[in-house]
Amino acid sequence: MSNIENFLTSYLFGLSLPNIKITDLVEIIIIAFIIYQIMLWVKNTRAWMLFKGILFLLAFILFASIFEMNTILWIASKTINVGIIAVIIIFQPELRKALEQLGRKNILTTLFPIDSQRFGEERFSDKTVNEITRAVFEMGSVRTGALIVIERDISLTDYENTGIEVDSLISSQLLINIFEHNTPLHDGAIIVRGNRVAAATCYLPLSDNMGLSKELGTRHRAGVGISEVSDSLTIIVSEETGKVSVATGGELTRNVDSDYLRSKLYELQNKSPESGRFRKTKGRVKNEKKVNS
């Protein structure tokens, strides 16, 4: 019994535990969350392959250090500064995309409502919602491919300038005629601003998300790509299957029905809940599939 008491006295009671405060716990949680988000970001982009290449180089330097390969260590020490700059240049597209996504987080727009519309100022009318929905599923029924980008708070002027100005009120007949085969404006995307079609035949950035299904073509990758660099909502009609997909925030939802699409458009309206016309339709997704970027 005395041996146990001596052990406790000599070792356990002699330990000096750090004085942990509430702020320390909060700091640990924040740092862990940031590291976790960085790891997810690296894994879901091309940065993962580059990161593995950097790990290979570090392992090679460690190997050289263990076996005292002084020449290799000297070269590594002289190029480390250049290497840091090279990494920043190589990761520039991914870093820019990460900062853009950070700027679109709801927590930031809530704390700093920069360039955001005041609640109650609707972006487009109920008629526009119905016309877009009718046109999309009429085109889907005859397998006419379409790519419709609906602008929100982030301006799409740069992409609008790549196309042809239309500036026309939205109607289902207009949308169907634009995407009809062998017409001058059918190739590319149209950009919708408010109740008007701003431009057609616009070029969009393609997504480099490796998680997208290989069966998806350029139209779907362009729809996801523009949703990764802006807060827009993109509607894609597949020319091969006639199925309708929706892309927003870098996430693609495939094979949606008219109720689901209409509910997403009503969410974009920014309409006041006091309005008698405000919709709360949930919508349905048939065989829903999502891909995170």
Side-chain angles (χ1 to χ4, degrees), residues 129-225:
V129 173
N130 294 329
E131 293 294 323
I132 292 176
T133 304
R134 182 183 301 115
V136 164
F137 285 93
E138 284 188 16
M139 288 187 287
S141 64
V142 293
R143 298 190 178 183
T144 298
L147 187 56
I148 302 173
V149 183
I150 301 176
E151 183 184 78
R152 297 177 68 182
D153 295 331
I154 297 178
S155 175
L156 300 177
T157 303
D158 291 342
Y159 303 102
E160 178 185 346
N161 292 336
T162 65
I164 299 174
E165 183 180 2
V166 177
D167 192 24
S168 176
L169 283 173
I170 292 176
S171 68
S172 58
Q173 295 86 351
L174 173 65
L175 297 178
I176 292 172
N177 285 334
I178 287 177
F179 290 108
E180 186 65 33
H181 294 290
N182 301 322
T183 57
L185 301 179
H186 84 282
D187 192 21
I190 67 168
I191 294 178
V192 173
R193 180 178 296 117
N195 293 306
R196 308 183 74 84
V197 177
T201 70
C202 299
Y203 293 97
L204 305 180
L206 299 181
S207 173
D208 56 5
N209 182 5
M210 303 302 293
L212 288 175
S213 174
K214 300 301 181 184
E215 67 185 29
L216 299 178
T218 304
R219 184 177 287 113
H220 287 82
R221 288 194 171 272
V224 176

Side-chain angles (χ1 to χ4, degrees), residues 14-284:
L15 292 176
S16 58
L17 297 177
N19 185 18
I20 300 177
K21 302 178 182 178
I22 298 297
T23 53
D24 296 327
L25 294 176
V26 173
E27 190 175 14
I28 292 172
I29 293 173
I30 292 174
I31 293 174
F33 177 77
I34 292 174
I35 293 175
Y36 175 73
Q37 291 297 323
I38 291 175
M39 293 174 64
L40 283 182
W41 168 72
V42 169
K43 185 176 181 181
N44 292 327
T45 64
R46 289 182 302 177
W48 176 239
M49 301 302 296
L50 298 174
F51 184 70
K52 289 196 294 184
I54 293 174
L55 289 180
F56 175 80
L57 290 177
L58 292 176
F60 180 72
I61 294 174
L62 178 61
F63 176 83
S65 177
I66 293 174
F67 290 94
E68 298 181 354
M69 299 179 180
N70 296 325
T71 304
I72 295 176
L73 293 176
W74 180 84
I75 294 174
S77 64
K78 296 300 180 181
T79 57
I80 186 169
N81 292 332
V82 178
I84 293 174
I85 298 175
V87 167
I88 295 175
I89 295 174
I90 292 172
F91 282 96
Q92 185 269 335
E94 285 75 18
L95 291 172
R96 179 177 178 179
K97 185 183 297 183
L99 291 175
E100 289 175 345
Q101 292 175 349
L102 180 62
R104 296 200 301 270
K105 294 293 185 182
N106 291 334
I107 184 172
L108 293 181
T109 55
T110 300
L111 295 176
F112 308 102
I114 301 174
D115 294 334
S116 60
Q117 291 188 339
R118 291 176 298 176
F119 197 77
E121 296 180 356
E122 66 180 41
R123 290 188 174 90
F124 42 80
S125 65
D126 289 346
K127 181 177 182 296
T128 296
V129 173
N130 294 329
E131 293 294 323
I132 292 176
T133 304
R134 182 183 301 115
V136 164
F137 285 93
E138 284 188 16
M139 288 187 287
S141 64
V142 293
R143 298 190 178 183
T144 298
L147 187 56
I148 302 173
V149 183
I150 301 176
E151 183 184 78
R152 297 177 68 182
D153 295 331
I154 297 178
S155 175
L156 300 177
T157 303
D158 291 342
Y159 303 102
E160 178 185 346
N161 292 336
T162 65
I164 299 174
E165 183 180 2
V166 177
D167 192 24
S168 176
L169 283 173
I170 292 176
S171 68
S172 58
Q173 295 86 351
L174 173 65
L175 297 178
I176 292 172
N177 285 334
I178 287 177
F179 290 108
E180 186 65 33
H181 294 290
N182 301 322
T183 57
L185 301 179
H186 84 282
D187 192 21
I190 67 168
I191 294 178
V192 173
R193 180 178 296 117
N195 293 306
R196 308 183 74 84
V197 177
T201 70
C202 299
Y203 293 97
L204 305 180
L206 299 181
S207 173
D208 56 5
N209 182 5
M210 303 302 293
L212 288 175
S213 174
K214 300 301 181 184
E215 67 185 29
L216 299 178
T218 304
R219 184 177 287 113
H220 287 82
R221 288 194 171 272
V224 176
I226 189 64
S227 73
E228 291 174 344
V229 300
S230 71
D231 60 351
S232 63
L233 180 140
T234 308
I235 304 169
I236 308 110
V237 182
S238 172
E239 188 173 350
E240 289 74 21
T241 64
K243 294 179 180 179
V244 178
S245 303
V246 174
T248 180
E251 183 179 271
L252 180 67
T253 305
R254 302 173 60 186
N255 194 18
V256 305
D257 63 8
S258 59
D259 291 335
Y260 180 88
L261 177 59
R262 188 174 280 109
S263 70
K264 298 296 289 186
L265 293 174
Y266 282 136
E267 290 176 9
L268 262 63
Q269 269 188 296
N270 203 39
K271 186 179 292 186
S272 171
E274 283 78 12
S275 172
R277 297 178 300 166
F278 185 74
R279 303 295 196 277
K280 295 183 178 179
T281 308
K282 291 290 185 180
R284 298 183 299 275

